[in-house]
Amino acid sequence: MDETGSRLRKRKFAQSYHVDMKQCPISGCDSRGHLMGRFERHFTLAACPIYHNLTPERCKANHEANERLRKDQAAELGKATPHHNTRNQSEVEPSPNQVKYRKKVQKSRENHAAGSSENRKNLPDREDDPGMREPFLNHIASQYDLNLFRQAQALASEGLESELERLHESGLLAQDGSNPDRRIKVIEIGRYEMDTWYSSPYPEEYVQLPKLFICEFCLKFMKSSTILRRHMAKCVWRHPPGDEIYRKGTISVFEVDGKKNKIYSQNLCLLAKLFLDHKTLYYDVEPFLFYVMTEADLTGCHMVGYFSKEKNSFLNYNVSCILTMPQHMRKGFGKMMIDFSYLLSRKEGKTGSPERPLSDLGLLSYRSYWTDIILRYLSTLAASADLVIRDISQETAVHPADIVSTLQALQMLKYWKGKHIILKKQDIIDTWVQKQSKRPAEFASRSIDPTCLKWLPSRQK
């Protein structure tokens, strides 16, 4: 890559986003005027009249002329063809006013004398850096097309300034427009906009952005909502890659191989790091399998969370990393994914345990799940039956060490005469049964059905 071109692009990018909220970044500009022509001041590169080789007075005059032209065009066109018939416009004979207006536009486009010397009066001298000014388009584009282009830029600059002001007022940007923590603070994915919790090692130019836009299906990350809209119009993905190994109702789980779908897996890890403090896996995804849980509607399968595990774990870890997306937390999806990971362990004929260290939320989720599993097992056990940790482990696929720690937390494990004895405290079991009966129907329905799993361990495939 050309180093000079790279520096110019980075410098232009910095000028576009690292802006003083009171001063235009263009050298020699006093922030007067606006490309729209209807504002007194500007503070972004896109809205600067000088960057576009104009003057504030010229922009204001252009705005007034455009307003008059818009009224004239409306009078000339009369009743235009409705938008919903645009595909069949070739079959409809145009009106005389439409024909006259088309000829007028064609004639104006034949004149490529855009950017005359009058447009350059009272402008500061151009800098050596070509990124400081829009290039002159003499004899390249017509004045009509150039005006259309500048109108689009003016509308875009108005939206950019409004967004930067909103982020500045909310404290997400410093007074000089910089990102003080050097991390992405807001992301937009699907129909959700959410604040992030931690930094993630996205590429440098994306880390500088105040807001990141992510496709909810392929997880590609983008710099603006416009790029996201264009991507969504072309994106053919409607569910994660890989094999769908579980489906019940609207809930599905897809098994994604990090080696076969490397880019998706890396993007998934970068997204997860925004909400996980201890996660260190970003790019070395080939030794891992990712199990993505989704909820389906008419538009596709939307990710609610995922967990990953090593293909060959020496310590029999059945989960390396687990995340429920913030918009789906406290809805029972976390326990569903934990239960699904143990279902896979039972299918493999193994006991499993999550990889340490667990995050704070992860520890709470697992301790709650282990408590439910153990108390459910004890509630169905006959009163005279012997309680053996090994039997509980074989039945539930939970590692004995996790069972012991949970029983200790419940004060149901005592050391007596050189042995550990499980105390079946009926009051604790009755309280748990009572709480389960009062659970909302929405939570009660979110449970894993082993009969819906269509999956074989790798050694049996």
Side-chain angles (χ1 to χ4, degrees):
M1 181 182 294
D2 183 10
E3 293 184 3
T4 303
S6 177
R7 285 197 299 271
L8 291 177
R9 283 190 291 272
K10 289 181 179 179
R11 183 173 176 182
K12 186 174 181 180
F13 177 86
Q15 292 164 349
S16 300
Y17 288 95
H18 291 181
V19 294
D20 191 326
M21 304 300 288
K22 297 180 180 179
Q23 183 67 37
C24 174
I26 290 292
S27 177
C29 179
D30 57 3
S31 298
R32 287 191 312 108
H34 195 284
L35 184 60
M36 288 287 287
R38 56 191 181 92
F39 299 107
E40 295 298 328
R41 295 185 64 80
H42 68 276
F43 59 84
T44 60
L45 185 73
C48 179
I50 294 178
Y51 172 76
H52 297 284
N53 304 304
L54 297 171
T55 62
E57 295 75 19
R58 183 60 183 268
C59 289
K60 190 172 184 179
N62 287 344
H63 171 66
E64 295 173 354
N66 289 334
E67 287 297 318
R68 291 193 298 269
L69 180 62
R70 192 175 294 111
K71 293 179 182 179
D72 295 340
Q73 290 174 353
E76 288 182 13
L77 289 174
K79 293 183 178 180
T81 305
H83 287 292
H84 60 270
N85 289 334
T86 52
R87 292 187 176 182
N88 299 324
Q89 274 188 342
S90 58
E91 302 175 3
V92 180
E93 187 174 350
S95 66
N97 286 338
Q98 290 174 326
V99 173
K100 181 179 178 182
Y101 177 70
R102 188 194 311 174
K103 290 181 179 179
K104 182 179 178 180
V105 171
Q106 290 175 346
K107 185 177 180 180
S108 65
R109 281 180 166 168
E110 292 174 358
N111 180 16
H112 282 198
S116 62
S117 58
E118 295 181 1
N119 296 346
R120 311 180 197 181
K121 291 180 179 179
N122 302 321
L123 291 179
D125 294 334
R126 292 176 68 99
E127 302 286 343
D128 293 336
D129 186 350
M132 294 295 290
R133 289 285 179 84
E134 179 184 78
F136 291 118
L137 301 177
N138 305 53
H139 309 291
I140 297 176
S142 67
Q143 190 66 46
Y144 178 86
D145 291 325
L146 186 58
N147 287 339
L148 285 179
F149 176 65
R150 284 175 175 164
Q151 288 174 20
Q153 285 183 309
L155 291 174
S157 68
E158 184 178 6
L160 176 62
E161 289 189 337
S162 299
E163 178 69 13
L164 289 172
E165 286 180 348
R166 183 187 70 81
L167 293 172
H168 169 63
E169 292 172 358
S170 63
L172 297 180
L173 286 180
Q175 183 64 32
D176 61 353
S178 64
N179 192 340
D181 294 341
R182 290 183 60 80
R183 72 176 179 88
I184 300 164
K185 293 193 174 183
V186 181
I187 64 169
E188 181 177 317
I189 179 169
R191 63 178 186 272
Y192 298 99
E193 180 182 283
M194 63 194 78
D195 296 335
T196 62
W197 301 349
Y198 306 102
S199 62
S200 181
Y202 280 96
E204 182 67 22
E205 64 267 28
Y206 292 90
V207 174
Q208 299 293 338
L209 293 173
K211 183 177 178 181
L212 190 66
F213 299 83
I214 301 175
C215 173
E216 62 177 328
F217 297 115
C218 69
L219 303 185
K220 181 179 179 181
F221 45 91
M222 287 149 276
K223 296 180 179 179
S224 69
S225 58
T226 303
I227 300 175
L228 177 61
R229 285 196 302 271
R230 291 177 178 175
H231 169 81
M232 293 304 297
K234 299 181 290 184
C235 185
V236 297
W237 291 34
R238 288 299 176 265
H239 60 77
D243 301 324
E244 185 182 20
I245 61 175
Y246 178 90
R247 181 192 294 182
K248 183 179 181 182
T250 60
I251 302 298
S252 297
V253 177
F254 293 83
E255 183 183 60
V256 182
D257 191 329
K259 185 175 183 179
K260 295 180 181 178
N261 302 280
K262 189 172 182 179
I263 300 300
Y264 178 88
S265 301
Q266 290 175 346
N267 289 342
L268 180 61
C269 291
L270 290 172
L271 173 62
K273 183 60 180 71
L274 294 172
F275 306 101
L276 295 174
D277 188 20
H278 294 86
K279 183 173 179 59
T280 56
L281 171 66
Y282 312 124
Y283 297 106
D284 185 20
V285 296
E286 295 183 6
F288 292 86
L289 292 171
F290 299 84
Y291 295 89
V292 184
M293 181 171 287
T294 65
E295 189 173 28
D297 60 16
L298 295 177
T299 60
C301 297
H302 308 277
M303 184 179 73
V304 299
Y306 88 100
F307 69 89
S308 62
K309 73 172 185 177
E310 290 183 90
K311 297 175 182 177
N312 299 295
S313 175
F314 178 73
L315 297 175
N316 281 338
Y317 289 138
N318 63 354
V319 168
S320 295
C321 177
I322 186 169
L323 170 72
T324 303
M325 293 299 291
Q327 69 270 28
H328 296 293
M329 288 182 176
R330 304 184 67 83
K331 297 180 181 179
F333 289 114
K335 285 188 178 180
M336 281 187 71
M337 288 190 290
I338 294 174
D339 195 20
F340 188 80
S341 68
Y342 281 106
L343 174 60
L344 298 183
S345 295
R346 290 195 296 271
K347 194 79 171 178
E348 293 175 316
K350 301 178 180 178
T351 60
S353 181
E355 184 177 332
R356 268 65 170 186
L358 289 170
S359 64
D360 295 338
L361 289 177
L363 180 59
L364 289 174
S365 299
Y366 268 97
R367 182 56 56 83
S368 176
Y369 173 79
W370 291 331
T371 300
D372 288 346
I373 288 294
I374 293 172
L375 294 180
R376 182 181 294 113
Y377 178 84
L378 296 179
S379 66
T380 59
L381 201 64
S384 59
D386 294 332
L387 296 177
V388 182
I389 291 178
R390 182 179 62 254
D391 295 340
I392 301 175
S393 178
Q394 290 177 352
E395 181 71 21
T396 62
V398 178
H399 195 275
D402 298 328
I403 296 176
V404 170
S405 65
T406 304
L407 290 172
Q408 288 175 338
L410 294 171
Q411 296 184 352
M412 296 177 67
L413 190 66
K414 297 295 182 182
Y415 187 77
W416 186 65
K417 291 185 178 181
K419 295 182 180 180
H420 286 94
I421 300 175
I422 300 176
L423 304 177
K424 187 179 179 181
K425 294 184 177 181
Q426 195 60 41
D427 57 336
I428 295 179
I429 297 175
D430 292 341
T431 302
W432 176 83
V433 172
Q434 187 178 4
K435 287 183 178 179
Q436 294 299 306
S437 63
K438 294 181 179 180
R439 292 182 67 193
E442 179 185 10
F443 284 75
S445 63
R446 289 196 174 126
S447 58
I448 295 296
D449 185 354
T451 62
C452 297
L453 177 66
K454 308 297 180 185
W455 179 83
L456 290 174
S458 56
R459 66 175 182 273
Q460 298 180 19
K461 292 182 180 179

